[in-house]
Amino acid sequence: MILGIGTDLANIERIERTLERYGDRFRNRVFTEAEQKKAERRRDTAGTYAKRWAAKEACSKALGTGLRMGIAWKDMHVTNMRTGQPVMHVTGWAARRLAELTPEGHEAVIHVTLTDDHPWAQAFVVIEARPAAAGKAGQGG
C-alpha cells in the first residue's frame, strides 16, 4: 500500500548560487557529511547537491508534512548503492513520522529516484508499506 508520494524540482543554478553565497553554512545546515563528501567528489557538484535537495523536499512531502512540524533537513539523507541507485534514509523526527504512518504489521520502504537535465534536478519519492517479515512488524523503514 502507498503511504505517501512526493516530488520536487530544484534549479541547479539557484543551488550553485546559494553554495557560492553561503558555502559551508548552507552545506552543514542541509546536507549530511556523507552527502557533502559525495557531492564534493563529483564534477557536477551543484547538480549533485540539487538532486539531494529535491530528494529531501520530495521525502518531506511524501511524509505528509513538507519541511515543517519539526523535520530537519538532515533527518533525511541520500546515499547510493554500488549500482548507483539512490537510497533515502530517515532519522530523528522524519523516522518518527514514518513510524506513525506505517500500519501495524507492516514495514515502510522508501523509494527514491533522482534525475537532472541542466538547469533542473528532480526527485520522486514513494513510501510503501509492505507486510512485515516475522519479528519486524511496525518498525518502519
Side-chain angles (χ1 to χ4, degrees):
M1 116 185 36
I2 302 300
L3 300 179
I5 299 171
T7 186
D8 193 66
L9 186 65
N11 185 286
I12 296 168
E13 293 168 353
R14 178 175 161 248
I15 296 296
E16 187 170 41
R17 286 190 304 271
T18 302
L19 287 164
E20 289 168 1
R21 183 171 181 188
Y22 297 104
D24 286 342
R25 183 172 158 212
F26 172 66
R27 281 183 200 86
N28 294 332
R29 179 173 167 250
V30 176
F31 302 101
T32 65
E33 186 176 324
E35 287 174 315
Q36 290 180 47
K37 284 181 181 179
K38 171 86 173 177
E40 296 301 325
R41 284 193 313 261
R42 303 294 298 270
R43 185 173 34 137
D44 183 14
T45 302
T48 301
Y49 279 122
K51 284 186 280 190
R52 277 148 181 77
W53 171 280
K56 292 167 187 269
E57 287 274 9
C59 185
S60 71
K61 293 171 185 174
L63 288 168
T65 63
L67 284 161
R68 57 181 179 84
M69 295 178 59
I71 291 182
W73 286 103
K74 289 184 181 181
D75 283 349
M76 302 162 288
H77 65 276
V78 177
T79 61
N80 293 86
M81 299 174 109
R82 285 184 180 209
T83 60
Q85 177 182 346
V87 178
M88 177 63 72
H89 306 273
V90 293
T91 58
W93 199 95
R96 290 190 296 278
R97 174 68 178 156
L98 181 62
E100 289 173 7
L101 292 173
T102 306
E104 188 67 35
H106 289 74
E107 59 185 340
V109 179
I110 303 173
H111 304 276
V112 61
T113 186
L114 308 173
T115 191
D116 64 293
D117 186 6
H118 196 84
W120 300 105
Q122 186 173 34
F124 285 97
V125 170
V126 175
I127 302 175
E128 172 189 16
R130 293 182 184 164
K136 289 182 119 184
Q139 291 183 357

